[in-house]
Amino acid sequence: MTVLLIGLGNVQELTLVADAVEAHGGDAILCDVRQWPSDLPLTINPTKDGATLGTIFNYSEITGVYVMSHHLFKIYNKRFKESLEKNLLPVIRQLREYRAMFESLCQILEYRGATVIPLLRNHNWQGRKPWQLFLYDDEKIPTPKTIFSNERGEVETFFEQHGRVVYKPVSWGGVPHELSYNDLDDDRIDKLATAPVQFQEFIDGEDLRVYVLSDEVIGSIKYSSQSFSFKVDMKRGDSDEIDVEDATISEDIEATAIRAAQSAGLIFGAADIRRRPDGTHVLLELNETPRIAPADIRANQDIADSLAKILV
């Protein structure tokens, strides 16, 4: 019972899952992707039952894989900033090749019967938010009114209709901001034409994160912060300003989180939900590799333990 953990080796999530795997009698192999690019051995031979990721292992030994997919040599990762500034195209190609190796390894292990979280087809789930929200609307899952656009007129109309609007990237990363009249000034709004942006009606209420594993809710927490969204403080590095506590949720919210994960085909995920003062709710987004350390360490959840049970 060996579990392969892939990602940035300094994140608490991988340490928590590794400890839980070993507590359940399994062996955890941590593959720290910070070790590459380098000359550290990295080999996949299609004719052999094994691979080398610094250390050698056989595919048949691996029962589970937990991969922080957004750590897999994405060009927006800060650790590549200097290299990209010096040698843009060669570094982009280099990172693409490393990413192809690790993605192929995940597919091989899934094919060999290991439990891989997330599945390769969902490695970029958060990178396709228009598809994500289209799917949820089609499945009648409650979500805020949203547009993705680079068209000035569409944004101005949306702002007039909803009054209070949040904007954030179409894909990964970035701090959410609240749209203001200053953002609609000619000098600023004209920059919208350079790339589309996600605009979403502001929903007043509490920030919940609901963890789903194998179609069951395994934990739920509430984030509280001074900003309109806890993600603003989190992105700024002000985690100490965010309160995290266990949350009691309704059956309706549980059902929304489970349906969202099922629709996406995710074995494991975390639904970010805004609960209004009247108890109704909307799904903001679903994360395929969510942070679990705040839940387990600060809100006494057992997310890592639940993951370990399915991986060993």
Side-chain angles (χ1 to χ4, degrees), residues 221-233:
I221 59 176
K222 181 175 74 172
Y223 285 106
S224 302
S225 72
Q226 297 301 312
S227 303
F228 68 88
S229 168
F230 74 94
K231 293 186 177 181
V232 174
D233 292 328

Side-chain angles (χ1 to χ4, degrees), residues 77-296:
N77 192 294
K78 292 180 180 179
R79 71 189 184 101
F80 303 125
K81 184 175 184 292
E82 184 177 347
S83 298
L84 287 164
E85 288 175 345
K86 290 180 178 179
N87 217 358
L88 181 63
L89 289 179
V91 173
I92 288 176
R93 296 187 186 107
Q94 178 191 47
L95 298 179
R96 179 192 63 196
E97 301 305 295
Y98 274 101
R99 187 165 60 251
M101 288 285 280
F102 280 88
E103 289 178 346
S104 294
L105 177 63
C106 290
Q107 191 70 74
I108 290 168
L109 290 169
E110 179 189 340
Y111 180 78
R112 286 297 187 93
T115 299
V116 180
I117 299 177
L119 297 172
L120 179 60
R121 65 174 179 268
N122 283 324
H123 274 202
N124 197 36
W125 177 250
Q126 276 290 85
R128 296 186 289 266
K129 290 181 183 177
W131 158 239
Q132 188 177 144
L133 290 178
F134 172 88
L135 176 64
Y136 294 151
D137 181 73
D138 201 54
E139 293 288 331
K140 310 303 180 188
I141 295 172
T143 57
K145 299 296 184 184
T146 305
I147 62 167
F148 301 88
S149 182
N150 70 340
E151 186 178 347
R152 174 176 181 164
E154 288 281 350
V155 175
E156 290 175 335
T157 299
F158 190 81
F159 187 50
E160 290 173 3
Q161 290 173 340
H162 298 287
R164 198 171 178 189
V165 172
V166 173
Y167 66 94
K168 47 191 173 181
V170 174
S171 184
W172 288 93
V175 178
H177 297 275
E178 189 168 352
L179 192 67
S180 70
Y181 284 104
N182 290 336
D183 294 318
L184 301 179
D185 288 345
D186 288 343
D187 289 344
R188 185 156 173 77
I189 194 67
D190 286 346
K191 295 179 181 178
L192 181 65
T194 64
V197 176
Q198 177 182 0
F199 298 90
Q200 197 166 66
E201 67 168 322
F202 177 83
I203 303 295
D204 188 31
E206 299 174 317
D207 282 315
L208 304 176
R209 174 161 284 188
V210 182
Y211 294 89
V212 177
L213 178 65
S214 299
D215 299 337
E216 292 184 6
V217 170
I218 59 169
S220 55
I221 59 176
K222 181 175 74 172
Y223 285 106
S224 302
S225 72
Q226 297 301 312
S227 303
F228 68 88
S229 168
F230 74 94
K231 293 186 177 181
V232 174
D233 292 328
M234 187 175 290
K235 289 290 185 180
R236 290 173 179 166
D238 298 330
S239 297
D240 292 341
E241 302 297 320
I242 304 171
D243 291 327
V244 184
E245 59 184 299
D246 177 51
T248 300
I249 59 175
S250 66
E251 291 182 359
D252 284 346
I253 291 177
E254 282 200 15
T256 289
I258 291 170
R259 287 176 59 210
Q262 289 174 334
S263 299
L266 288 176
I267 301 171
F268 171 65
D272 286 339
I273 288 174
R274 182 61 66 91
R275 180 168 59 189
R276 298 184 181 95
D278 65 1
T280 60
H281 68 279
V282 292
L283 172 69
L284 300 179
E285 61 186 27
L286 183 72
N287 304 280
E288 71 272 30
T289 51
R291 294 192 65 193
I292 65 172
D296 279 10

Side-chain angles (χ1 to χ4, degrees), residues 15-123:
T15 300
L16 288 169
V17 176
D19 290 345
V21 165
E22 291 172 359
H24 284 281
D27 295 318
I29 298 177
L30 175 60
C31 178
D32 186 351
V33 297
R34 295 178 302 169
Q35 298 177 104
W36 295 280
S38 75
D39 59 0
L40 185 70
L42 178 63
T43 302
I44 296 176
N45 185 334
T47 66
K48 294 186 177 180
D49 182 37
T52 302
L53 301 179
T55 185
I56 300 172
F57 62 88
N58 294 325
Y59 299 142
S60 57
E61 299 172 351
I62 306 299
T63 58
V65 182
Y66 186 65
V67 53
M68 308 292 286
S69 53
H70 55 291
H71 293 175
L72 292 185
F73 305 96
K74 305 289 188 178
I75 60 173
Y76 52 71
N77 192 294
K78 292 180 180 179
R79 71 189 184 101
F80 303 125
K81 184 175 184 292
E82 184 177 347
S83 298
L84 287 164
E85 288 175 345
K86 290 180 178 179
N87 217 358
L88 181 63
L89 289 179
V91 173
I92 288 176
R93 296 187 186 107
Q94 178 191 47
L95 298 179
R96 179 192 63 196
E97 301 305 295
Y98 274 101
R99 187 165 60 251
M101 288 285 280
F102 280 88
E103 289 178 346
S104 294
L105 177 63
C106 290
Q107 191 70 74
I108 290 168
L109 290 169
E110 179 189 340
Y111 180 78
R112 286 297 187 93
T115 299
V116 180
I117 299 177
L119 297 172
L120 179 60
R121 65 174 179 268
N122 283 324
H123 274 202

